[in-house]
Amino acid sequence: MSVVEQYARAHIVTDADLLAEEQDAVPVVLKYDPETDPRSVCVRLPGRQAHEWTFSRSLLEQGLRAPAGSGEIRVWPCGRVQAVVEFHSAQGVSVVQFETKALMRFLRRTYLAAAPAAPAAPVEREAQAQLRG
Protein backbone atom coordinates (compact mmCIF):
# COMPACT_ATOMS: atom_id res chain seq x y z
CA MET A 1 0.00 0.00 0.00
CA SER A 2 1.29 3.43 -0.82
CA VAL A 3 0.58 7.01 0.17
CA VAL A 4 -1.59 8.99 -2.23
CA GLU A 5 -0.89 12.71 -2.44
CA GLN A 6 -2.67 14.86 -4.97
CA TYR A 7 -2.69 18.59 -5.55
CA ALA A 8 -5.99 20.19 -6.47
CA ARG A 9 -6.87 23.77 -7.33
CA ALA A 10 -9.56 25.12 -5.05
CA HIS A 11 -11.21 28.41 -4.23
CA ILE A 12 -11.14 29.40 -0.60
CA VAL A 13 -14.31 31.35 -0.07
CA THR A 14 -13.57 32.40 3.51
CA ASP A 15 -10.37 32.20 5.48
CA ALA A 16 -9.05 35.13 7.51
CA ASP A 17 -5.45 33.91 7.20
CA LEU A 18 -5.30 34.31 3.42
CA LEU A 19 -4.29 37.54 1.76
CA ALA A 20 -6.75 39.20 -0.64
CA GLU A 21 -4.67 38.31 -3.71
CA GLU A 22 -4.77 34.63 -2.70
CA GLN A 23 -8.57 34.50 -2.93
CA ASP A 24 -8.35 33.02 -6.44
CA ALA A 25 -7.68 29.34 -6.98
CA VAL A 26 -4.98 28.02 -4.66
CA PRO A 27 -3.16 24.67 -4.49
CA VAL A 28 -4.64 22.36 -1.86
CA VAL A 29 -2.99 19.07 -0.92
CA LEU A 30 -5.18 15.97 -0.65
CA LYS A 31 -3.44 13.10 1.11
CA TYR A 32 -4.26 9.50 1.97
CA ASP A 33 -1.95 7.24 3.95
CA PRO A 34 -3.34 3.71 4.35
CA GLU A 35 -0.56 2.82 6.79
CA THR A 36 -1.54 5.60 9.21
CA ASP A 37 -5.34 5.31 8.92
CA PRO A 38 -6.97 3.52 5.98
CA ARG A 39 -10.35 5.14 6.69
CA SER A 40 -9.22 8.80 6.72
CA VAL A 41 -8.09 11.47 4.27
CA CYS A 42 -6.23 14.69 4.93
CA VAL A 43 -6.76 18.11 3.36
CA ARG A 44 -4.02 20.73 3.75
CA LEU A 45 -4.82 24.34 2.91
CA PRO A 46 -2.16 26.93 2.11
CA GLY A 47 -1.58 30.13 4.05
CA ARG A 48 0.88 31.80 6.35
CA GLN A 49 0.11 29.02 8.80
CA ALA A 50 -0.83 25.84 7.00
CA HIS A 51 -4.18 24.40 7.98
CA GLU A 52 -4.64 20.64 7.91
CA TRP A 53 -7.75 18.56 8.59
CA THR A 54 -8.08 14.80 8.78
CA PHE A 55 -11.51 13.25 8.42
CA SER A 56 -13.37 10.17 7.23
CA ARG A 57 -12.87 9.16 3.62
CA SER A 58 -16.51 8.02 3.56
CA LEU A 59 -17.62 11.53 4.62
CA LEU A 60 -15.89 12.96 1.56
CA GLU A 61 -17.48 10.34 -0.67
CA GLN A 62 -20.98 10.85 0.79
CA GLY A 63 -20.67 14.63 0.55
CA LEU A 64 -20.11 14.45 -3.20
CA ARG A 65 -23.63 13.01 -3.60
CA ALA A 66 -25.60 14.80 -0.85
CA PRO A 67 -24.88 17.12 2.09
CA ALA A 68 -22.94 15.28 4.82
CA GLY A 69 -21.14 16.34 7.94
CA SER A 70 -19.37 15.11 11.02
CA GLY A 71 -17.92 17.25 13.80
CA GLU A 72 -16.04 20.19 12.35
CA ILE A 73 -16.30 19.08 8.68
CA ARG A 74 -19.20 19.52 6.25
CA VAL A 75 -19.20 18.43 2.58
CA TRP A 76 -21.87 18.99 -0.05
CA PRO A 77 -22.29 19.08 -3.83
CA CYS A 78 -22.52 22.54 -5.35
CA GLY A 79 -24.15 22.24 -8.74
CA ARG A 80 -23.05 19.55 -11.17
CA VAL A 81 -19.32 20.17 -11.27
CA GLN A 82 -18.31 21.54 -7.89
CA ALA A 83 -18.28 20.46 -4.27
CA VAL A 84 -17.83 22.46 -1.08
CA VAL A 85 -15.90 21.41 2.00
CA GLU A 86 -16.44 23.51 5.11
CA PHE A 87 -13.94 23.37 7.97
CA HIS A 88 -14.80 24.73 11.43
CA SER A 89 -12.09 25.58 13.97
CA ALA A 90 -11.54 27.91 16.92
CA GLN A 91 -10.14 30.46 14.44
CA GLY A 92 -13.31 30.48 12.33
CA VAL A 93 -14.73 28.76 9.29
CA SER A 94 -12.97 28.00 6.01
CA VAL A 95 -15.18 27.24 3.03
CA VAL A 96 -13.32 25.58 0.16
CA GLN A 97 -14.80 24.97 -3.28
CA PHE A 98 -13.34 22.12 -5.37
CA GLU A 99 -14.05 20.71 -8.79
CA THR A 100 -15.90 17.47 -8.10
CA LYS A 101 -13.85 15.54 -10.65
CA ALA A 102 -10.62 16.34 -8.75
CA LEU A 103 -12.08 14.93 -5.53
CA MET A 104 -13.47 11.88 -7.34
CA ARG A 105 -10.09 11.21 -8.97
CA PHE A 106 -8.45 11.45 -5.53
CA LEU A 107 -10.98 9.04 -4.00
CA ARG A 108 -10.44 6.53 -6.82
CA ARG A 109 -6.70 6.67 -6.20
CA THR A 110 -7.21 6.07 -2.46
CA TYR A 111 -9.29 2.96 -3.11
CA LEU A 112 -6.68 1.64 -5.53
CA ALA A 113 -3.90 2.29 -3.01
CA ALA A 114 -5.80 0.48 -0.26
CA ALA A 115 -6.81 -2.50 -2.41
CA PRO A 116 -4.92 -5.71 -1.71
CA ALA A 117 -2.60 -6.78 -4.49
CA ALA A 118 -4.28 -9.06 -7.00
CA PRO A 119 -3.10 -12.66 -6.83
CA ALA A 120 -0.68 -13.59 -9.55
CA ALA A 121 -2.07 -15.45 -12.54
CA PRO A 122 -1.00 -19.13 -12.88
CA VAL A 123 1.48 -18.25 -15.66
CA GLU A 124 3.01 -15.50 -13.50
CA ARG A 125 3.27 -17.84 -10.49
CA GLU A 126 5.05 -20.41 -12.62
CA ALA A 127 7.49 -17.81 -13.98
CA GLN A 128 8.17 -16.52 -10.45
CA ALA A 129 8.81 -20.08 -9.21
CA GLN A 130 11.28 -20.66 -12.05
CA LEU A 131 13.14 -17.44 -11.19
CA ARG A 132 13.44 -18.50 -7.54
CA GLY A 133 14.60 -21.96 -8.07
Side-chain angles (χ1 to χ4, degrees):
M1 292 191 271
S2 61
V3 173
V4 173
E5 189 168 285
Q6 177 178 314
Y7 291 85
R9 301 290 294 170
H11 291 275
I12 299 180
V13 179
T14 58
D15 190 342
D17 289 339
L18 291 180
L19 300 173
E21 62 266 16
E22 293 176 323
Q23 293 297 319
D24 291 331
V26 296
V28 174
V29 178
L30 307 170
K31 186 175 178 181
Y32 172 72
D33 185 350
E35 297 292 325
T36 302
D37 184 354
R39 293 179 303 240
S40 295
V41 294
C42 178
V43 175
R44 187 176 25 204
L45 302 179
R48 289 187 297 256
Q49 298 173 342
H51 301 281
E52 185 170 297
W53 284 271
T54 300
F55 57 97
S56 165
R57 179 171 60 166
S58 64
L59 173 63
L60 180 59
E61 185 176 3
Q62 291 168 6
L64 294 178
R65 293 187 303 267
S70 177
E72 60 190 23
I73 312 293
R74 308 275 185 277
V75 183
W76 66 89
C78 182
R80 293 174 45 181
V81 297
Q82 295 180 330
V84 173
V85 182
E86 184 179 276
F87 302 99
H88 294 257
S89 70
Q91 292 76 34
V93 178
S94 294
V95 179
V96 185
Q97 193 171 31
F98 291 91
E99 286 190 17
T100 302
K101 66 181 177 181
L103 295 177
M104 290 174 62
R105 182 173 43 249
F106 172 68
L107 282 171
R108 274 194 303 275
R109 291 180 64 206
T110 69
Y111 286 112
L112 288 172
V123 173
E124 292 173 314
R125 282 194 299 262
E126 185 177 308
Q128 290 171 355
Q130 288 175 355
L131 289 173
R132 278 184 256 150

